[in-house]
Amino acid sequence: KWIECMMQPDSGSDVTIIPKNVWDHLGCPTLGRNQRTLKQFDGTTIATIGSFSGLIETDDKFVESKIIVTQCSKQYGLL
């Protein structure tokens, strides 16, 4: 099942994260454990609830990526 979801590129990040409300919109894909500790630019920890593998379309190509779900609510995810 294909579900469109707007994402905002973050050139300073090496991971793809989405907030819990976007994960809900995607139909709550099954989550695995997230082994990484994520930090914001100010050094505070980003609370996560898990991760899943998904396809991301950028510039007319598809890339499979690990997507980490955060315990927050925002309008967009970050690539």
Side-chain angles (χ1 to χ4, degrees), residues 15 17 34-49 68-72 74:
V15 296
I17 63 174
N34 176 42
Q35 305 266 343
R36 296 184 67 167
T37 299
L38 304 180
K39 301 278 186 179
Q40 298 189 75
F41 67 93
D42 65 358
T44 57
T45 301
I46 299 172
T48 63
I49 60 173
I68 299 172
V69 182
T70 62
Q71 186 66 30
C72 67
K74 298 202 182 256

Side-chain angles (χ1 to χ4, degrees), residues 5-71:
C5 176
M6 297 296 293
M7 301 288 283
Q8 176 182 351
D10 180 355
S11 60
S13 179
D14 64 344
V15 296
T16 299
I17 63 174
I18 60 171
K20 184 181 180 306
N21 61 301
V22 172
W23 174 70
D24 290 337
H25 171 75
L26 295 175
C28 303
T30 302
L31 297 176
R33 277 185 74 179
N34 176 42
Q35 305 266 343
R36 296 184 67 167
T37 299
L38 304 180
K39 301 278 186 179
Q40 298 189 75
F41 67 93
D42 65 358
T44 57
T45 301
I46 299 172
T48 63
I49 60 173
S51 64
F52 66 97
S53 181
L55 283 178
I56 296 174
E57 181 182 9
T58 60
D59 300 325
D60 297 326
K61 66 180 177 180
F62 291 90
V63 177
E64 186 169 357
S65 179
K66 178 180 176 181
I67 301 169
I68 299 172
V69 182
T70 62
Q71 186 66 30

